[in-house]
Amino acid sequence: MGFQLSSKDYVEYIKLAAAKIHENGDYVTALDAATGDGDHWSNINIGFEKLIEAIPVMETMSLFDEFKKIGMIMMSVIGGSSGVLYGSAYMGAAKVLKDKDVIENQDMCNIMEAMLNAIMQRGNAKPGFKTMIDCLYPAVECYKDCITKALSENETVVLVKKAAVEGAQSTAAMEAIRGRACYQANKGVGHLDPGAITMAYQIETLMDYIATRL
Ligand code: ADP
Ligand code: MG
């Protein structure tokens, strides 16, 4: 049998993601200082700190309520574009989880796809615009492909993680069409997009956590 994550398990992932983001503060701040206003790490880090405070409540909730709660916290405490975008992502993903007690492989793919669609819609952006989408989109495409090919969950998590990391790295060569980097003379070419990097941290951490549950 494959992995099954409860709302309590998802909280375990949140703790690991919070730690990963916390420890990369200087690096992410430098990235956003180069092409944006330098606040991306502090925005997202405060969001995860607030999620950690809400764990006692979240772990007793259904997955549907837990994801809505995460979305509301992110929307209200993360400043900048990423707060609205992550808020919308979690609200969108909650809908996939209605009446579900656990997240299984196909559900996880559906969650990530719902997040992608919500972010693209809310931010009016597409792949190739040098944003967090350039990490999430290839990860979702890869996940769907793994399911179509009926790959094992062990293989899937490795490939999805790789797609996310490579997607984030690919933003260095892109000209920004959304986000503050588009106001730069050279559209941020040569610089990684900070939002794509923090998205990759989250997907990497999620795939590594799933691997421990297989
Ligand atoms: P702000 O740009 O308002 O200061 P943050 O610094 O918190 O917000 O987040 C910046 C990140 O948000 C960017 O690196 C990019 O990945 C992402 N982003 C910005 N605008 C959009 C958009 N319209 N669609 C998707 N992602 C976006
Ligand atoms: Mg910023």
Side-chain angles (χ1 to χ4, degrees):
M1 202 175 66
F3 71 86
Q4 291 195 320
L5 305 183
S6 65
S7 56
K8 218 172 154 86
D9 295 325
Y10 200 77
V11 153
E12 291 306 312
Y13 151 69
I14 292 287
K15 288 184 200 165
L16 295 167
K20 176 83 181 173
I21 285 170
H22 187 76
E23 72 203 21
N24 284 285
D26 292 345
Y27 177 61
V28 175
T29 298
L31 291 180
D32 196 35
T35 57
D37 55 356
D39 64 350
H40 179 63
W41 177 80
S42 56
N43 287 342
I44 199 118
N45 189 59
I46 186 98
F48 273 90
E49 281 178 2
K50 295 290 173 194
L51 293 182
I52 298 286
E53 284 172 22
I55 282 177
V57 191
M58 273 162 32
E59 63 187 1
T60 63
M61 291 176 154
S62 67
L63 282 165
F64 176 68
D65 287 337
E66 181 185 42
F67 271 58
K68 274 198 306 185
K69 177 89 179 159
I70 295 173
M72 282 188 287
I73 292 174
M74 287 186 150
M75 186 93 70
S76 61
V77 305
I78 305 183
S81 318
S82 38
V84 182
L85 295 169
Y86 275 100
S88 307
Y90 269 94
M91 300 291 191
K95 293 185 193 137
V96 171
L97 292 167
K98 207 147 177 40
D99 305 322
K100 290 211 177 270
D101 296 327
V102 288
I103 300 169
E104 296 182 309
N105 197 40
Q106 179 70 59
D107 305 317
M108 189 54 84
C109 182
N110 295 346
I111 287 169
M112 288 172 59
E113 188 171 28
M115 289 183 165
L116 171 66
N117 289 334
I119 292 173
M120 291 202 298
Q121 201 177 357
R122 191 72 186 79
N124 189 25
K126 291 199 182 100
F129 284 14
K130 198 182 182 84
T131 71
M132 56 175 78
I133 293 167
D134 295 304
C135 168
L136 182 55
Y137 174 79
V140 169
E141 287 300 299
C142 175
Y143 212 144
K144 291 202 288 194
D145 194 45
C146 290
I147 289 176
T148 305
K149 291 179 178 152
L151 296 189
S152 73
E153 294 180 11
N154 277 299
E155 290 170 291
T156 302
V157 293
V158 172
L159 291 172
V160 171
K161 174 174 163 173
K162 187 166 176 276
V165 171
E166 288 178 358
Q169 294 297 323
S170 77
T171 60
M174 293 177 184
E175 287 189 4
I177 297 175
R178 289 283 183 279
R180 292 181 195 272
C182 72
Y183 303 119
Q184 304 255 310
N186 73 344
K187 309 278 181 202
V189 172
H191 295 280
L192 291 165
D193 174 62
I197 296 296
T198 55
M199 177 67 82
Y201 290 160
Q202 292 167 77
I203 297 174
E204 264 184 85
T205 306
L206 183 60
M207 294 303 126
D208 286 347
Y209 176 63
I210 292 173
T212 69
R213 303 295 310 258
L214 290 170

